[in-house]
């Protein structure tokens, strides 16, 4: 049997900041890997380093030591241009606030990253419609963000995040701004998308009920990544 290769791996990652003569350690030898089609919840209190971990995993921030592997490629020594290309091709981001461009329709918001990556307008439009249909928001494709509900906006943001078929999806409180019913609906749509596409998803959340529905739950303790037990 072939052992699946990881989509994302952190190897002995360290991140610290100097505060005068003191050193503030955020990550201290953090080890972690996530496989295609796997959903992992990251549950940690504010100030534990959750955002730093997501930024390093998404190549938005460099660790002081250790290595980050995306699809088996070591990314620590990549120059800025190559890191940007890797983020564009292999990593999708979803935030608590949707960050949709207000002057563009839902369809156009999903099309933009594809066109930036070089896809033709017709192909980008067709794929975007398919993604919006999959997220059950196809009939709202022509609407601008201000004309959409919070749950609809977040589903458009998820469609945009996976528009370029990334191998890694990083989500920071993707349902944190939604009421429980809408949060559950958005999470169900996200789960279906992860299972269907095979993307590896790391999802930071304070929602224990949603975290318990994922494949694994982890947390940060003293700068290290450890399993977290719900309940």
């Amino acid at each position: 049997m072939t052992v699946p290769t990881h989509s994302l791996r952190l190897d002995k990652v360290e991140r610290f900041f100097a505060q005068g003569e003191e050193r503030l350690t955020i990550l201290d030898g953090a080890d972690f890997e996530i496989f295609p089609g796997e959903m992992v919840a990251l549950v940690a209190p504010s100030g534990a380093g959750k955002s730093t971990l997501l930024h390093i995993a998404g190549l938005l921030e460099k660790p002081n030591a250790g290595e980050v592997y995306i699809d088996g490629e070591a990314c620590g020594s990549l120059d800025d241009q190559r890191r940007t290309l890797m983020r564009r091709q292999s990593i999708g981001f979803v935030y608590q606030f949707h960050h949709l461009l207000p002057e563009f329709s839902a369809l156009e918001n999903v099309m933009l990253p594809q066109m930036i990556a070089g896809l033709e307008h017709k192909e980008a439009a067709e794929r975007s419609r398919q993604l919006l249909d999959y997220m059950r928001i196809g009939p709202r494709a022509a609407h601008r963000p201000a004309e959409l509900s919070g749950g609809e906006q977040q589903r458009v943001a998820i469609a945009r995040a996976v528009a370029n078929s990334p191998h890694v999806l990083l989500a920071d409180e993707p349902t944190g701004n939604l009421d429980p019913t809408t949060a559950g609906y958005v999470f169900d749509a996200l789960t279906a998308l992860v299972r269907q596409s095979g993307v590896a998803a790391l999802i930071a959340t304070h929602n224990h009920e949603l975290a318990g529905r994922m494949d694994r739950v982890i947390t940060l303790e003293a700068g290290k990544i450890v399993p977290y037990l719900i309940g």
Side-chain angles (χ1 to χ4, degrees):
M1 186 177 83
T2 302
V3 177
T5 57
H6 56 263
S7 294
L8 169 67
R9 179 184 166 210
L10 272 61
D11 182 27
K12 299 180 177 63
V13 166
E14 296 182 14
R15 187 69 174 115
F16 53 81
F17 301 91
Q19 292 188 331
E21 296 183 358
E22 300 294 322
R23 190 167 91 169
L24 176 63
T25 299
I26 307 298
L27 299 176
D28 186 15
D31 289 303
F32 172 71
E33 58 186 8
I34 181 170
F35 297 94
E38 187 178 27
M39 294 182 74
V40 178
L42 172 59
V43 177
S46 298
K50 187 171 51 178
S51 294
T52 298
L53 175 61
L54 288 172
H55 288 169
I56 288 176
L59 307 184
L60 295 169
E61 189 174 331
K62 291 186 177 182
N64 296 99
E67 187 58 273
V68 178
Y69 296 89
I70 304 290
D71 294 329
E73 180 174 353
C75 299
S77 61
L78 298 180
D79 59 29
D80 289 342
Q81 183 176 7
R82 177 59 183 154
R83 288 169 71 86
T84 298
L85 185 62
M86 179 69 81
R87 284 195 300 270
R88 186 180 298 164
Q89 293 178 337
S90 298
I91 306 172
F93 298 91
V94 181
Y95 301 97
Q96 180 173 349
F97 300 99
H98 54 78
H99 296 302
L100 299 176
L101 298 175
E103 65 272 27
F104 294 103
S105 69
L107 181 70
E108 290 166 337
N109 267 279
V110 181
M111 288 174 61
L112 280 171
Q114 300 174 74
M115 296 181 68
I116 290 171
L119 205 64
E120 294 289 338
H121 184 282
K122 182 178 179 181
E123 292 178 88
E126 182 178 350
R127 174 164 171 75
S128 297
R129 288 192 186 92
Q130 291 174 349
L131 283 168
L132 291 174
D133 284 341
Y134 193 85
M135 297 299 290
R136 298 184 181 180
I137 195 175
R140 309 283 281 168
H143 290 70
R144 294 185 180 182
E147 300 170 314
L148 303 174
S149 70
E152 288 171 337
Q153 291 170 348
Q154 198 63 316
R155 279 182 278 156
V156 174
I158 292 169
R160 180 184 58 184
V162 300
N164 285 334
S165 301
H167 296 161
V168 176
L169 180 66
L170 303 173
D172 192 358
E173 297 288 351
T175 63
N177 224 25
L178 306 173
D179 65 82
T181 299
T182 304
Y185 190 88
V186 169
F187 180 79
D188 288 343
L190 176 59
T191 300
L193 192 61
V194 169
R195 302 308 189 200
Q196 189 274 336
S197 67
V199 66
L202 176 60
I203 302 172
T205 182
H206 284 109
N207 189 320
H208 282 201
E209 190 273 326
L210 295 183
R213 293 166 58 187
M214 299 190 217
D215 299 309
R216 285 189 287 142
V217 185
I218 59 172
T219 191
L220 284 161
E221 289 184 3
K224 300 187 185 301
I225 300 171
V226 297
Y228 184 86
L229 297 178
I230 299 284

